[in-house]
């Protein structure tokens, strides 16, 4: 079946079996291999992409459910010549080692800061009515869906804090 | 002042940009024209006899190319084991066949039975469901003690029993150790489990096999830490392909942690099937497949006894370990509980008498092999736990007891066959007391108490043997391989360098740190140096990356090759400047004649080497390319001291890590930023082992922790900020860079640090009867121990119930 996806600002028509996950559609049908498959079960976050402004696990959703949706993958956030502020912060703070979880971390962190800006509370938030402080605990909790086995977590938290303009620890 | 380039600078990683923008090229990103996909039908029982396989219905299904069974591999070698251990009685270990696809029997959940090659992965999976496999289920052998009992079912019918080997080390010390323990003023005994772990790199394993009809050449793209080792093992021992007809490529690899060292059946299958099907064949592991086919780690059950004299000097140490091998011998499995474990039992201490006995056992579980640290975490854990227990029993400060027994003179020959070349254990302990703010601990404990929490401080000293290894030594110890490393340095006419190295980078940042070394040696910018690795077609034969060996062994090979380059370049420079070769100096990328103002630039010399118009052709060949193989003279011995402060909620048993400090001595440090990341990662994996992770089988051999919902990985909110220091530096005395290796330290040193802290918190809270709790220290286990329950927890926990080995 045909599905029209707006990926990184460009309309792409996908012809695929309706059982195709958004992740497989990106990687196998559309040649966008930046998004990674770490578990295919929504438990590791390596496949995180941004759909209509929200971060989701692209392995847990079918591509055909996203007709007309705006999808941003890591390829759409920055380029080697012009890194996004989040990507630049990961360089500054050494926020990875093997790089496999990194595209998911970048997409997740980028959308996460937007969630905070919109006042969505998390499990770590003291106040559920919004306006939370972006503490380290808040960042860690909100990023706990993105596994990094190299465990660059302390540096990832530093990078996100920096990208959010919250300065050094 | 921090340097901005060369050795000691925190150069930003050049790998970064491709990883950050999604431009990394991992094995699963490789798709070859015309490739078919393979799905493995794996055993869902732990032990059974295959009575029939009917593939007829499946073969008729859409898209199926071919279905393979064990019968297709009868003429093919099995997956080889790279290390042979000799038992106490002089017999070599029992070494079972390890077929590519199960033949006759299945021996663990996940053992591959059939391989379905089809046009699409979906078609391969659909067809696999139509295969009819009849298996007569047999009783599974899971518990190591039961596996060794006389009436246990045998994992391998053609072996005598389930005992792989019974290793004693050093056998000549045995009687003296027994005597010293029987006569000691005090003996502390501890029984413990080193819990079974799964390495879980975020990138699952992938293999793409290709066969060129035109030349008969094979290519395997695979997620490996050591492509040359795979080429040798698979080519020579499994498929009978000469190395010159086989290329193995390991491109960007998304983490290894040991589990991507080994040669796996799926690699051999895809290579074999590419020719059989006359088209490329690709396999990508699912995560649950990874849990039941990647080699696991640890899984030791140990009894350790530490003898002390009346002045609290360690006088003897005796250990008995049962080590789970799983159903087959993975590539380096036999070496892990023996030479990588027994030789480290002296730790940082001058214990004069040590005896280590290891019984390696076959069970119906996934094979166990090296995982970050490999043998050394198991040694450190038991040693540092028993010392902590001894300090408590004797009522002495655990830091004082350690300091009193530290080795302080180097070189030091231990009673377990290794010689530490250098170290300063008091220096790292001093640094730890400072950065861990020991002085402030009591105040923090009081503050915790006011909030109803128990705070504990755990400390630990460690040593590891890295930079493996002298080939002649490991050959004597049973290794079926050399453990040198190689580098080819190719200088181009315009002065840039390409280093082709056998060391593989899968997160360690070699592409950044190796050029720092060359930049320092020649005095040219780092960006004039490119590192090429991971392809047997370009790099010279190398042994790959594991055991914290890349810089210590691979870096040394690169230094040696670069020295050859510099020596030849000096000859050329001398000719260009009409000077004597002995007078030529190289500094900041300029060759000059000592005592004169004559100089030529690096680029002038490299150009002359390739455009030899004015060149000493009668003395030296044109060109500038050199290869070196470096075989280390000894292991390297990184060491250090770690401290952890935990807070324990007595209402729930929940443990949180409040502070963590690490003072390491890695010798010289090339890139402090990369070293810090490696230490963070190691500590986090150690915290995972101590508090979260456990690979669990039920009594029938079902793997009950085969997803991330069941196997608890450390996440961002489980890993604390850490204070990491590597300013204590006693450079390695026998490699040219004075480096020791840093990749495994955190995983080796942190588990006992965390457990010591939890036990300390419990004792401070009045729970003085709790001498030990087995890892992982889940809230359930801690709470049960506080209620006076058994810490062992029964079914589904620990090492396949093996804790009951007990005394």
């Amino acid at each position: 079946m045909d599905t029209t996806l707006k990926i990184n600002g460009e309309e792409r028509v996908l012809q695929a079996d309706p059982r195709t996950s958004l992740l497989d559609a990106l990687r196998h049908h559309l040649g966008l291999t930046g998004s990674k498959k770490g578990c295919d079960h929504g438990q590791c976050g390596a496949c995180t992409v941004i759909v209509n402004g929200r971060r989701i696990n692209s392995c847990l959703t079918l591509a055909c459910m996203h007709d007309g949706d705006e999808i941003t993958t890591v390829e759409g956030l920055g380029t080697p010549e012009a890194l996004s502020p989040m990507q630049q912060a990961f360089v500054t703070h050494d926020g990875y080692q093997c790089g496999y979880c990194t595209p998911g971390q970048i997409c997740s962190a980028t959308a996460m800061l937007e969630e905070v800006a919109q006042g969505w509370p998390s499990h770590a938030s003291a106040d559920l009515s919004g306006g939370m402080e972006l503490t380290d605990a808040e960042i860690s909790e909100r990023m706990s869906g993105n596994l990094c086995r190299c465990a660059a977590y302390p540096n990832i938290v530093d990078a996100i804090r920096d990208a959010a303009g919250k300065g050094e620890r | 002042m921090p340097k901005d380039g060369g050795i000691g600078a925190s150069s930003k990683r050049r790998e970064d940009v491709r990883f950050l923008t999604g431009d990394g090229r991992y094995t699963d990103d490789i798709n070859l024209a015309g490739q078919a996909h393979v799905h493995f039908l794996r055993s869902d029982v732990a032990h059974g006899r295959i009575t029939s396989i009917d593939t007829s219905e499946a073969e008729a299904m859409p898209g199926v190319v071919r279905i393979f069974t064990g019968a297709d591999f009868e003429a093919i070698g099995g997956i080889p084991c790279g290390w042979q251990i000799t038992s106490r009685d002089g017999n070599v270990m029992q070494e079972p066949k390890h077929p590519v696809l199960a033949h006759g029997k299945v021996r663990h959940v996940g053992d591959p039975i059939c391989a379905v090659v089809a046009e699409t992965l979906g078609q391969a999976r659909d067809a696999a469901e139509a295969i009819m496999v009849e298996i007569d289920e047999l009783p599974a052998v899971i518990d190591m003690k039961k596996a060794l009992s006389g009436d246990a079912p045998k994992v391998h019918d053609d072996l005598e029993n389930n005992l792989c080997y019974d290793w004693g080390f050093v056998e000549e010390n045995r009687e003296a150790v027994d005597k010293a323990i029987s006569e000691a003023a005090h003996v502390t005994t501890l029984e413990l489990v080193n819990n079974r772990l799964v390495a879980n790199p975020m990138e699952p394993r992938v293999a793409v096999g290709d066969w060129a009809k035109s030349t008969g050449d094979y290519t395997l793209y695979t997620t490996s830490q050591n492509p040359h080792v795979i080429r040798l093992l698979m080519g020579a021992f499994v498929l009978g392909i000469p190395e010159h007809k086989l290329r193995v490529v390991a491109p960007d690899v998304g983490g290894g942690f040991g589990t991507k060292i080994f040669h796996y059946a799926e690699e051999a299958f895809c290579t074999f099937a590419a020719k059989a099907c006359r088209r490329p064949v690709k396999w990508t592991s699912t995560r649950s497949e990874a849990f039941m086919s990647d080699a696991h780690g640890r899984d030791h059950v140990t009894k350790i006894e530490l003898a002390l004299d009346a002045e609290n000097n360690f006088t003897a140490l005796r250990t008995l370990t049962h080590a789970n091998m799983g159903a087959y011998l993975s590539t380096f499995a036999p070496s892990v509980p023996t030479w990588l474990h027994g030789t480290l039992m002296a730790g940082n201490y001058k214990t004069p008498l040590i005896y280590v006995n290891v019984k390696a056992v076959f069970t119906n579980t996934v094979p166990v092999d090296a995982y970050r640290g490999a043998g050394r975490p198991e040694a450190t854990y038991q040693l540092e736990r028993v010392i902590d227990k001894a300090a408590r029993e004797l009522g002495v400060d655990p830091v004082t007891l350690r300091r009193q027994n530290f080795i302080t003179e180097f070189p030091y020959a231990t009673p377990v066959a290794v010689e530490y070349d250098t170290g300063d254990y008091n220096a790292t302990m001093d640094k730890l007391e400072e950065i861990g703010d020991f002085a402030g601990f009591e105040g923090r404990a009081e503050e915790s108490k006011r909030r109803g929490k128990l705070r504990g401080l755990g400390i630990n000293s460690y040593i590891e043997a890295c930079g493996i290894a002298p080939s002649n030594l490991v050959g004597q110890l049973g290794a079926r391989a050399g453990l040198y490393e190689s580098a080819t340095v190719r200088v181009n006419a315009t002065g840039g360098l390409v280093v082709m190295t056998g060391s593989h980078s899968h997160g360690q940042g070699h592409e950044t740190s190796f050029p720092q070394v060359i930049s320092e040696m020649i005095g040219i910018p780092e960006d004039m140096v490119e590192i090429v690795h991971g392809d047997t077609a370009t790099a010279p034969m190398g042994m790959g990356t594991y055991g914290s060996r890349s810089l210590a062994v691979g870096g040394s090979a690169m230094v040696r090759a670069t020295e050859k380059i510099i020596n030849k370049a000096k000859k050329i420079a001398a000719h260009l400047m009409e000077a004597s070769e002995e007078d030529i100096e190289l500094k900041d990328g300029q060759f000059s004649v000592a005592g004169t103002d004559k100089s030529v630039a690096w680029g002038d010399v490299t150009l002359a080497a390739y455009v030899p118009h004015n060149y000493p052709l009668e003395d030296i060949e044109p060109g500038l390319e050199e290869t070196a193989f470096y075989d280390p003279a000894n292991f390297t011995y990184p060491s250090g001291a770690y401290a952890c402060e935990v807070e324990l909620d007595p209402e729930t048993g929940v443990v949180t890590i409040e502070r963590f400090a690490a003072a390491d001595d890695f010798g010289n440090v090339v890139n402090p930023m990369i070293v810090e990341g490696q230490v963070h990662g190691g500590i986090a994996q150690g915290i995972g082992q101590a508090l979260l992770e456990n690979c669990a089988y039920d009594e029938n051999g079902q793997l009950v922790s085969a997803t991330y919902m069941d196997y608890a990985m450390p996440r961002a909110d489980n890993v604390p900020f850490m204070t990491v220091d590597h300013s204590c530096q006693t450079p390695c005395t026998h490699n040219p860079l004075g480096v020791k290796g840093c990749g495994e330290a955190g995983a080796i040193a942190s588990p006992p640090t965390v457990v010591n802290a939890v036990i300390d918190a419990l004792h401070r809270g009045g729970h003085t009867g709790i001498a030990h709790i087995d890892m992982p220290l889940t809230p359930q286990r801690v709470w049960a121990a506080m209620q006076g329950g058994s810490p062992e927890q029964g079914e589904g926990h620990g090492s396949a119930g093996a804790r009951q080995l007990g005394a």
Side-chain angles (χ1 to χ4, degrees):
Chain A
M1 64 182 288
D2 283 6
T3 308
T4 303
L5 305 168
K6 195 167 183 189
I7 302 178
N8 301 328
E10 189 187 333
E11 277 203 358
R12 302 283 299 268
V13 178
L14 171 75
Q15 289 180 312
D17 184 305
R19 296 174 296 181
T20 307
S21 71
L22 178 57
L23 175 61
D24 284 345
L26 292 169
R27 287 185 56 80
H28 300 156
H29 296 264
L30 301 167
L32 292 166
T33 55
S35 305
K36 300 301 180 198
K37 187 182 283 188
C39 72
D40 218 19
H41 282 69
Q43 297 162 2
C44 80
C47 66
T48 306
V49 300
I50 303 169
V51 177
N52 299 333
R54 285 190 63 179
R55 52 180 172 157
I56 64 168
N57 289 320
S58 62
C59 71
L60 283 189
T61 188
L62 298 175
C64 64
M65 295 160 65
H66 294 282
D67 196 48
D69 282 354
E70 296 216 16
I71 295 162
T72 304
T73 68
V74 71
E75 289 95 339
L77 287 175
T79 63
E81 296 74 32
L83 295 176
S84 76
M86 186 63 74
Q87 288 168 326
Q88 186 56 54
F90 269 61
V91 175
T92 306
H93 295 277
D94 194 33
Y96 36 70
Q97 289 167 28
C98 80
Y100 194 81
C101 74
T102 308
Q105 302 275 2
I106 295 286
C107 287
S108 187
T110 301
M112 182 272 278
L113 289 186
E114 196 53 38
E115 290 162 15
V116 173
Q118 291 173 7
W120 296 5
S122 82
H123 176 70
S125 305
D127 181 359
L128 298 186
S129 60
M132 73 289 304
E133 184 69 21
L134 192 66
T135 59
D136 290 346
E138 192 74 63
I139 296 172
S140 295
E141 163 61 25
R142 287 170 185 270
M143 292 300 291
S144 63
N146 289 83
L147 285 176
C148 170
R149 189 51 155 172
C150 303
Y153 298 125
N155 294 354
I156 291 172
V157 173
D158 282 347
I160 294 171
R161 191 193 314 100
D162 189 2
K166 298 289 178 187
E168 298 290 312
R169 173 159 37 92
Chain B
M1 210 178 99
K3 294 175 72 176
D4 56 8
I7 292 174
S10 285
S11 300
K12 295 297 178 200
R13 300 193 335 159
R14 59 175 69 181
E15 296 89 337
D16 292 357
V17 170
R18 69 175 190 268
F19 294 158
L20 282 165
T21 53
D23 291 331
R25 184 170 179 263
Y26 298 87
T27 311
D28 191 52
D29 300 335
I30 294 171
N31 293 295
L32 302 180
Q35 81 188 1
H37 298 263
V38 60
H39 173 78
F40 291 96
L41 177 65
R42 295 177 183 275
S43 178
D44 55 7
V45 300
H47 195 192
R49 207 169 300 284
I50 302 169
T51 54
S52 72
I53 301 175
D54 181 359
T55 60
S56 54
E57 190 187 332
E59 273 164 28
M61 288 183 64
V64 172
V65 175
R66 186 169 160 185
I67 298 175
F68 295 81
T69 67
D72 292 298
F73 288 84
E74 272 186 72
I76 299 293
I79 304 298
C81 176
W83 206 299
Q84 186 176 62
I85 296 298
T86 302
S87 285
R88 293 169 56 206
D89 61 9
N91 290 323
V92 297
M93 67 186 190
Q94 297 202 80
E95 191 170 354
K97 287 193 195 73
H98 184 177
V100 174
L101 295 177
H103 199 55
K105 272 171 81 170
V106 288
R107 296 186 177 87
H108 66 85
V109 168
D111 211 357
I113 303 168
C114 298
V116 183
V117 178
E119 298 293 338
T120 71
L121 184 56
Q123 288 169 333
R125 283 183 181 152
D126 287 347
E129 288 192 10
I131 297 174
M132 305 298 287
V133 180
E134 300 279 351
I135 294 177
D136 273 353
E137 206 172 337
L138 298 166
V141 185
I142 303 302
D143 178 302
M144 285 196 275
K145 184 180 182 185
K146 288 181 188 160
L148 294 183
S149 69
D151 56 351
K154 290 199 283 189
V155 178
H156 296 275
D157 299 344
D158 52 340
L159 300 188
E160 208 174 303
N161 49 35
N162 293 319
L163 181 67
C164 177
Y165 56 75
D166 179 3
W167 184 75
F169 182 66
V170 174
E171 198 59 32
E172 294 74 44
N173 290 352
R174 184 188 173 95
E175 283 180 20
V177 170
D178 290 349
K179 183 163 179 287
I181 287 177
S182 67
E183 293 170 357
H186 184 86
V187 178
T188 297
T189 304
L190 185 60
E191 292 162 19
L192 44 77
V193 171
N194 203 294
N195 42 329
R196 189 180 185 112
L197 302 175
V198 183
N200 271 311
M202 294 315 301
E203 178 203 34
R205 287 188 298 119
V206 182
V208 188
D210 191 20
W211 179 74
K213 295 183 194 70
S214 53
T215 60
D217 288 352
Y218 295 81
T219 304
L220 170 68
Y221 302 88
T222 184
T223 47
S224 176
Q225 302 175 213
N226 32 241
H228 288 89
V229 174
I230 303 306
R231 184 181 66 166
L232 179 63
L233 292 176
M234 185 177 80
F237 297 98
V238 187
L239 299 179
I241 305 169
E243 284 169 279
H244 61 277
K245 301 297 280 181
L246 173 60
R247 175 183 171 202
V248 177
V249 184
D252 283 331
V253 172
F257 314 114
T259 203
K260 289 176 182 167
I261 299 171
F262 321 120
H263 176 42
Y264 287 97
E266 294 88 353
E267 295 171 320
F269 177 83
C270 288
T271 309
F272 176 87
K275 183 180 182 189
C277 300
R278 302 199 164 238
R279 58 194 290 187
V281 173
K282 179 173 185 173
W283 171 72
T284 300
S285 176
T286 65
R287 182 54 60 184
S288 286
E289 233 180 339
F291 273 105
M292 56 182 154
S293 68
D294 290 4
H296 293 174
R298 316 283 192 257
D299 205 350
H300 287 192
V301 181
T302 294
K303 177 180 178 184
I304 181 167
E305 296 157 284
L306 174 67
L308 302 94
D309 67 16
E311 282 78 46
N312 297 338
N313 298 307
F314 302 163
T315 56
L317 187 74
R318 182 168 63 194
T319 74
L320 168 63
T321 289
H322 286 73
N324 204 333
M325 292 286 103
Y328 304 100
L329 291 178
S330 177
T331 310
F332 292 113
S335 69
V336 175
T338 50
W339 300 109
L340 294 177
H341 161 253
T343 51
L344 270 297
M345 283 315 306
N348 309 58
Y349 311 101
K350 49 193 177 194
T351 316
L353 289 165
I354 298 175
Y355 180 73
V356 179
N357 182 201
V358 178
K359 298 178 199 302
V361 184
F362 292 114
T363 60
N364 292 113
T365 62
V366 171
V368 179
D369 206 326
Y371 165 58
R372 201 170 193 167
R376 291 150 291 171
E378 294 90 325
T380 305
Y381 181 64
Q382 46 180 296
L383 189 57
E384 292 297 317
R385 282 290 301 122
V386 81
I387 291 171
D388 233 55
K389 185 168 183 245
R392 211 172 294 288
E393 287 174 356
L394 295 164
V396 297
D397 175 62
V399 175
T400 308
L401 182 62
R402 284 177 170 86
R403 283 185 186 272
Q404 175 183 342
N405 286 282
F406 274 165
I407 296 160
T408 53
E409 288 174 14
F410 298 88
Y412 179 83
T414 72
V416 276
V418 289
E419 182 176 284
Y420 302 161
D421 60 335
T422 181
D424 187 346
Y425 310 142
N426 278 306
T428 46
M429 188 60 85
D430 290 345
K431 177 56 73 176
L432 182 73
E433 293 200 24
E434 174 199 327
I435 63 174
D437 185 28
F438 284 20
F441 172 74
E442 291 299 339
R444 293 189 292 274
E446 273 305 309
E447 194 276 327
S448 296
K449 203 171 173 181
R450 283 197 290 277
R451 287 184 288 107
K453 302 287 175 64
L454 306 177
R455 188 176 277 249
L457 172 64
I459 63 140
N460 166 77
S461 299
Y462 79 94
I463 185 158
E464 50 171 332
C466 294
I468 55 174
S471 293
N472 59 0
L473 173 64
V474 296
Q476 292 166 35
L477 305 183
R480 291 163 171 166
L483 285 168
Y484 51 82
E485 196 45 87
S486 64
T488 295
V489 177
R490 177 178 296 160
V491 186
N492 295 317
T494 50
L497 284 81
V498 179
V499 180
M500 286 151 282
T501 168
S503 293
H504 189 276
S505 182
H506 34 278
Q508 295 88 346
H510 299 170
E511 291 167 44
T512 305
S513 56
F514 280 28
Q516 291 180 248
V517 173
I518 300 230
S519 165
E520 184 88 21
M521 291 178 75
I522 301 177
I524 55 174
E526 288 163 25
D527 62 9
M528 286 178 70
V529 185
E530 194 70 24
I531 303 299
V532 172
H533 64 88
D535 187 343
T536 60
T538 51
M541 174 73 187
M543 299 308 294
T545 293
Y546 39 83
S548 306
R549 73 193 296 272
S550 289
L551 199 55
V553 190
S556 296
M558 180 180 69
V559 168
R560 291 282 185 253
T562 307
E563 286 169 353
K564 292 185 189 179
I565 292 282
I566 291 171
N567 286 342
K568 183 171 178 183
K570 281 184 175 175
K571 286 192 174 77
I572 303 168
H575 176 86
L576 292 175
M577 293 187 283
E578 297 177 339
S580 167
E581 189 190 324
E582 292 74 45
D583 295 335
I584 304 295
E585 293 170 349
L586 171 61
K587 192 165 180 259
D588 298 334
Q590 293 280 327
F591 295 92
S592 57
V593 182
T596 76
D597 59 357
K598 279 201 235 177
S599 72
V600 288
W602 168 257
D604 297 330
V605 172
T606 60
L607 189 64
Y610 288 94
V611 188
H613 296 164
N614 174 20
Y615 194 85
L617 285 166
E618 60 282 6
D619 295 330
I620 49 174
E621 297 169 4
L624 204 47
E625 175 167 329
E626 299 285 352
T627 295
F629 284 74
Y630 179 82
D631 204 288
N634 190 355
F635 294 89
T636 63
Y637 299 96
S639 61
Y642 282 28
C644 171
E645 275 181 44
V646 298
E647 208 171 68
L648 193 160
D649 183 346
E651 300 284 319
T652 61
V654 169
V655 173
T656 54
I657 294 177
E658 300 299 316
R659 297 168 65 93
F660 204 105
D664 293 293
D665 175 358
F666 296 133
N668 293 333
V669 168
V670 170
N671 185 316
M673 179 192 77
I674 289 176
V675 167
E676 188 165 320
Q678 288 288 315
V679 175
H680 283 175
I683 290 173
Q685 290 186 2
I687 289 172
Q689 172 167 30
L691 297 182
L692 300 164
E693 297 178 38
N694 196 42
C695 177
Y697 281 92
D698 72 10
E699 72 274 17
N700 300 315
Q702 280 301 330
L703 179 58
V704 296
S705 56
T707 76
Y708 287 145
M709 297 300 278
D710 307 298
Y711 185 94
M713 295 269 281
R715 293 173 182 266
D717 51 351
N718 303 119
V719 177
F721 285 96
M722 310 165 210
T723 309
V724 174
D725 180 276
H726 32 263
S727 64
C728 299
Q729 298 180 353
T730 59
C732 171
T733 58
H734 56 81
N735 66 43
L737 289 166
V739 296
K740 296 182 176 179
C742 67
E744 298 161 297
I748 290 169
S750 58
T753 315
V754 174
V755 176
N756 287 347
V758 174
I759 301 297
D760 187 55
L762 288 165
H763 279 251
R764 285 168 177 275
H767 299 277
T768 52
I770 303 174
H772 180 70
I773 305 175
D774 275 330
M775 300 186 291
L777 302 187
T778 58
Q780 180 196 11
R781 288 190 185 190
V782 173
W783 191 85
M786 292 173 74
Q787 313 312 310
S790 152
E792 288 112 67
Q793 301 297 307
E795 301 300 335
H797 279 276
S799 162
R803 181 68 175 85
Q804 50 187 278
L805 264 170

